[in-house]
Coordinates of all heavy atoms in Angstrom, one line a residue:
M1 N -32.1 -3.6 65.4 CA -32.4 -2.4 66.1 C -33.4 -2.7 67.2 O -33.4 -2.1 68.3 CB -32.9 -1.4 65.1 CG -33.3 -0.1 65.9 SD -33.8 1.3 64.9 CE -32.4 1.8 64.0
S2 N -34.3 -3.6 67.0 CA -35.3 -3.9 68.0 C -34.7 -4.4 69.3 O -35.2 -4.1 70.4 CB -36.4 -4.9 67.5 OG -35.8 -6.1 67.2
V3 N -33.7 -5.2 69.2 CA -33.0 -5.7 70.4 C -32.4 -4.6 71.2 O -32.5 -4.5 72.4 CB -32.0 -6.8 70.0 CG1 -31.1 -7.2 71.3 CG2 -32.6 -8.0 69.4
W4 N -31.7 -3.7 70.5 CA -31.0 -2.6 71.1 C -32.0 -1.6 71.7 O -31.9 -1.2 72.9 CB -30.2 -1.8 70.1 CG -29.5 -0.6 70.6 CD1 -28.4 -0.5 71.3 CD2 -30.1 0.8 70.7 NE1 -28.1 0.7 71.8 CE2 -29.1 1.6 71.3 CE3 -31.2 1.3 70.1 CZ2 -29.3 2.9 71.5 CZ3 -31.4 2.7 70.3 CH2 -30.4 3.5 71.0
A5 N -33.1 -1.4 71.1 CA -34.2 -0.5 71.6 C -34.8 -1.1 72.9 O -35.0 -0.4 73.9 CB -35.3 -0.3 70.6
K6 N -35.0 -2.4 72.9 CA -35.6 -3.1 74.1 C -34.6 -2.9 75.3 O -35.0 -2.7 76.4 CB -35.8 -4.5 73.8 CG -36.6 -5.2 74.9 CD -36.9 -6.7 74.6 CE -38.1 -6.7 73.6 NZ -38.6 -8.0 73.4
Q7 N -33.3 -3.1 75.0 CA -32.3 -3.0 76.0 C -32.2 -1.6 76.6 O -31.9 -1.4 77.8 CB -30.9 -3.3 75.5 CG -30.7 -4.8 75.2 CD -29.4 -5.1 74.5 OE1 -28.7 -4.2 74.0 NE2 -29.0 -6.4 74.4
Q8 N -32.5 -0.6 75.8 CA -32.5 0.8 76.2 C -33.8 1.3 76.8 O -33.9 2.3 77.4 CB -32.2 1.7 75.0 CG -30.9 1.5 74.3 CD -29.7 1.5 75.2 OE1 -29.6 2.5 76.0 NE2 -28.9 0.5 75.2
G9 N -34.8 0.4 76.7 CA -36.1 0.7 77.4 C -36.9 1.7 76.5 O -37.8 2.4 77.1
I10 N -36.7 1.7 75.2 CA -37.5 2.5 74.3 C -38.1 1.6 73.2 O -37.7 0.5 73.1 CB -36.6 3.6 73.6 CG1 -35.5 3.0 72.8 CG2 -36.1 4.6 74.6 CD1 -34.7 4.0 72.0
S11 N -39.1 2.2 72.6 CA -39.8 1.3 71.6 C -39.0 1.4 70.3 O -38.2 2.2 70.0 CB -41.2 1.9 71.3 OG -41.1 3.1 70.6
Y12 N -39.2 0.3 69.5 CA -38.6 0.2 68.2 C -38.9 1.4 67.3 O -38.0 2.0 66.6 CB -39.0 -1.1 67.5 CG -38.6 -1.2 66.0 CD1 -37.3 -1.6 65.8 CD2 -39.3 -0.8 65.0 CE1 -36.8 -1.8 64.5 CE2 -38.9 -0.9 63.7 CZ -37.6 -1.4 63.5 OH -37.1 -1.5 62.2
K13 N -40.1 1.9 67.4 CA -40.5 3.1 66.5 C -39.7 4.3 67.0 O -39.3 5.1 66.1 CB -42.0 3.3 66.7 CG -42.6 4.2 65.7 CD -44.1 4.2 65.7 CE -44.7 4.9 64.6 NZ -46.1 4.8 64.5
T14 N -39.5 4.5 68.3 CA -38.7 5.6 68.7 C -37.3 5.5 68.2 O -36.7 6.5 67.8 CB -38.8 5.7 70.3 OG1 -40.1 5.9 70.7 CG2 -37.9 6.8 70.8
A15 N -36.7 4.3 68.3 CA -35.3 4.1 67.8 C -35.2 4.4 66.4 O -34.3 5.0 65.9 CB -34.9 2.7 68.2
W16 N -36.2 3.9 65.6 CA -36.2 4.2 64.2 C -36.3 5.7 63.9 O -35.5 6.2 63.0 CB -37.5 3.5 63.5 CG -37.5 3.6 62.1 CD1 -38.2 4.6 61.3 CD2 -36.8 2.9 61.1 NE1 -38.0 4.4 60.0 CE2 -37.1 3.4 59.8 CE3 -35.9 1.8 61.2 CZ2 -36.6 2.9 58.7 CZ3 -35.3 1.3 60.0 CH2 -35.7 1.8 58.8
R17 N -37.1 6.4 64.6 CA -37.2 7.9 64.4 C -35.9 8.5 64.8 O -35.4 9.5 64.1 CB -38.3 8.5 65.3 CG -39.7 8.2 64.7 CD -40.7 8.9 65.6 NE -42.0 8.4 65.2 CZ -43.0 8.2 66.1 NH1 -42.8 8.4 67.4 NH2 -44.2 7.8 65.7
M18 N -35.2 8.1 65.9 CA -33.9 8.6 66.3 C -32.9 8.5 65.2 O -32.1 9.3 64.9 CB -33.5 8.0 67.6 CG -34.3 8.4 68.8 SD -33.9 7.5 70.3 CE -32.2 8.1 70.6
R19 N -32.9 7.2 64.6 CA -31.9 7.0 63.5 C -32.2 7.9 62.3 O -31.3 8.4 61.7 CB -32.0 5.5 63.1 CG -30.9 5.2 62.0 CD -31.0 3.8 61.6 NE -30.0 3.5 60.6 CZ -30.0 3.9 59.3 NH1 -31.0 4.6 58.9 NH2 -29.0 3.6 58.5
K20 N -33.5 8.0 61.9 CA -33.9 8.8 60.8 C -33.5 10.2 61.0 O -33.1 10.9 60.0 CB -35.4 8.7 60.6 CG -35.9 9.4 59.4 CD -37.4 9.2 59.3 CE -38.0 10.1 58.2 NZ -39.5 10.0 58.2
D21 N -33.6 10.8 62.2 CA -33.3 12.1 62.5 C -31.8 12.3 62.8 O -31.4 13.5 63.0 CB -34.1 12.6 63.7 CG -35.5 12.7 63.5 OD1 -36.0 12.6 62.3 OD2 -36.3 12.7 64.5
G22 N -31.0 11.2 62.8 CA -29.6 11.3 63.1 C -29.2 11.5 64.5 O -28.2 12.0 64.9
R23 N -30.1 11.1 65.4 CA -30.0 11.3 66.9 C -29.6 10.0 67.6 O -29.6 10.0 68.8 CB -31.2 11.9 67.5 CG -31.5 13.3 67.0 CD -32.7 13.9 67.7 NE -33.9 13.1 67.4 CZ -34.7 12.6 68.4 NH1 -34.4 12.8 69.6 NH2 -35.8 11.9 68.1
L24 N -29.4 8.9 66.8 CA -29.2 7.6 67.5 C -27.7 7.7 68.1 O -26.8 8.1 67.4 CB -29.2 6.5 66.4 CG -29.4 5.1 66.9 CD1 -30.7 4.9 67.7 CD2 -29.4 4.1 65.8
P25 N -27.6 7.4 69.4 CA -26.3 7.6 70.0 C -25.2 6.5 69.7 O -24.2 6.6 70.3 CB -26.7 7.6 71.5 CG -27.9 6.7 71.6 CD -28.6 7.0 70.3
V26 N -25.6 5.6 68.9 CA -24.6 4.5 68.5 C -24.6 4.4 67.0 O -25.5 4.7 66.4 CB -25.0 3.2 69.2 CG1 -24.8 3.2 70.7 CG2 -26.4 2.7 68.8
P27 N -23.5 3.9 66.5 CA -23.4 3.7 65.0 C -24.3 2.6 64.6 O -24.5 1.6 65.3 CB -21.9 3.4 64.8 CG -21.3 3.2 66.1 CD -22.2 3.6 67.2
A28 N -25.0 2.8 63.4 CA -25.9 1.9 62.9 C -25.8 1.9 61.3 O -25.4 3.0 60.8 CB -27.3 2.1 63.3
E29 N -26.1 0.8 60.7 CA -26.1 0.8 59.3 C -27.4 0.0 58.8 O -27.9 -0.9 59.5 CB -24.9 0.1 58.7 CG -24.8 -1.4 59.0 CD -23.6 -2.0 58.4 OE1 -23.4 -1.9 57.2 OE2 -22.8 -2.7 59.2
Q30 N -27.8 0.4 57.6 CA -29.0 -0.2 57.0 C -28.5 -1.1 55.9 O -27.9 -0.6 54.9 CB -30.1 0.8 56.6 CG -31.3 0.1 56.1 CD -32.5 1.1 56.0 OE1 -32.3 2.3 56.0 NE2 -33.7 0.6 55.8
L31 N -28.9 -2.4 55.9 CA -28.5 -3.3 54.8 C -29.4 -3.1 53.6 O -30.5 -2.5 53.8 CB -28.6 -4.7 55.3 CG -27.8 -5.1 56.5 CD1 -28.0 -6.5 57.0 CD2 -26.3 -4.8 56.2
P32 N -29.1 -3.5 52.4 CA -29.9 -3.4 51.3 C -31.3 -3.9 51.4 O -32.3 -3.4 50.9 CB -29.1 -4.1 50.2 CG -27.7 -4.0 50.6 CD -27.8 -4.1 52.1
A33 N -31.4 -5.0 52.2 CA -32.7 -5.6 52.5 C -33.6 -4.8 53.4 O -34.8 -5.1 53.6 CB -32.5 -7.0 53.0
G34 N -33.0 -3.7 54.1 CA -33.8 -2.9 54.9 C -33.5 -3.1 56.4 O -33.9 -2.3 57.2
T35 N -32.8 -4.2 56.8 CA -32.5 -4.5 58.1 C -31.5 -3.5 58.7 O -30.5 -3.1 58.0 CB -31.8 -5.9 58.2 OG1 -32.8 -6.9 57.7 CG2 -31.6 -6.3 59.7
V36 N -31.7 -3.0 59.9 CA -30.8 -2.0 60.5 C -30.0 -2.7 61.5 O -30.5 -3.4 62.5 CB -31.6 -0.8 61.2 CG1 -30.7 0.1 61.9 CG2 -32.4 -0.1 60.1
I37 N -28.7 -2.6 61.4 CA -27.7 -3.3 62.4 C -27.2 -2.2 63.2 O -26.6 -1.2 62.7 CB -26.6 -4.0 61.6 CG1 -27.1 -5.0 60.6 CG2 -25.6 -4.6 62.6 CD1 -27.9 -6.2 61.2
V38 N -27.3 -2.3 64.5 CA -26.8 -1.3 65.5 C -25.4 -1.9 66.0 O -25.4 -3.0 66.5 CB -27.8 -1.1 66.7 CG1 -27.1 -0.2 67.7 CG2 -29.1 -0.6 66.1
H39 N -24.4 -1.1 65.9 CA -23.1 -1.5 66.3 C -22.8 -0.9 67.7 O -22.2 0.2 67.9 CB -22.0 -1.0 65.4 CG -22.2 -1.5 64.0 ND1 -21.9 -2.8 63.7 CD2 -22.7 -1.0 62.9 CE1 -22.2 -3.0 62.4 NE2 -22.6 -1.9 61.9
A40 N -23.4 -1.5 68.7 CA -23.2 -1.0 70.1 C -22.4 -2.0 70.9 O -22.3 -3.2 70.6 CB -24.6 -0.9 70.8
E41 N -21.7 -1.4 71.9 CA -20.9 -2.2 72.8 C -21.8 -3.1 73.6 O -22.9 -2.6 74.0 CB -20.0 -1.3 73.7 CG -19.0 -0.5 73.0 CD -17.9 -1.4 72.4 OE1 -17.5 -2.4 73.0 OE2 -17.4 -1.0 71.3
P42 N -21.5 -4.4 73.9 CA -22.3 -5.2 74.8 C -22.4 -4.6 76.2 O -21.4 -4.0 76.6 CB -21.6 -6.5 74.8 CG -20.4 -6.4 74.0 CD -20.3 -5.1 73.4
A43 N -23.5 -4.7 76.8 CA -23.7 -4.1 78.1 C -22.9 -4.9 79.1 O -22.8 -6.1 79.1 CB -25.2 -4.3 78.5
Q44 N -22.2 -4.1 80.0 CA -21.4 -4.6 81.0 C -22.3 -4.9 82.3 O -23.1 -4.1 82.7 CB -20.3 -3.7 81.4 CG -19.3 -3.4 80.3 CD -18.5 -4.6 79.9 OE1 -18.2 -5.4 80.8 NE2 -18.2 -4.7 78.6
P45 N -22.1 -6.1 82.9 CA -22.9 -6.3 84.1 C -22.5 -5.3 85.2 O -21.4 -5.0 85.3 CB -22.6 -7.8 84.5 CG -21.3 -8.1 83.7 CD -21.3 -7.2 82.6
N46 N -23.5 -4.9 86.0 CA -23.3 -4.0 87.1 C -23.1 -4.6 88.5 O -22.7 -4.0 89.4 CB -24.4 -3.0 87.2 CG -24.5 -2.1 85.9 OD1 -23.5 -1.9 85.3 ND2 -25.7 -1.6 85.6
G47 N -23.3 -5.9 88.5 CA -23.2 -6.6 89.8 C -22.0 -7.4 89.9 O -21.1 -7.5 89.0
V48 N -21.8 -8.1 91.1 CA -20.7 -8.9 91.4 C -21.2 -10.3 91.6 O -22.2 -10.5 92.4 CB -19.9 -8.4 92.6 CG1 -18.8 -9.4 92.9 CG2 -19.4 -7.0 92.3
A49 N -20.6 -11.3 91.0 CA -21.1 -12.7 91.2 C -20.1 -13.3 92.1 O -18.9 -13.2 92.0 CB -21.1 -13.4 89.9
L50 N -20.6 -14.1 93.1 CA -19.7 -14.9 94.0 C -19.9 -16.3 93.8 O -20.9 -16.8 93.5 CB -20.0 -14.5 95.4 CG -19.8 -13.0 95.8 CD1 -20.3 -12.8 97.3 CD2 -18.4 -12.7 95.7

């Protein structure tokens, strides 16, 4: 979740609260060990490489 939060420009704590409140815009699951896995699509590049 920390990687996803950083990509979104929000803090880990904010992402955690969003998940807890059911407001996380992507699917996520919590493993028995407590780790939260976010199932988000990889970001698409916005530029063009030549």
Side-chain angles (χ1 to χ4, degrees):
M1 180 177 288
S2 62
V3 172
W4 179 83
K6 187 177 285 189
Q7 290 173 345
Q8 301 305 309
I10 60 175
S11 72
Y12 173 81
K13 194 169 189 176
T14 299
W16 182 263
R17 286 183 191 142
M18 288 172 68
R19 183 183 183 284
K20 183 179 173 188
D21 295 341
R23 298 183 298 125
L24 199 63
V26 294
E29 66 176 308
Q30 187 168 9
L31 302 178
T35 303
V36 177
I37 305 295
V38 176
H39 301 287
E41 295 291 324
Q44 297 294 327
N46 294 336
V48 176
L50 298 176

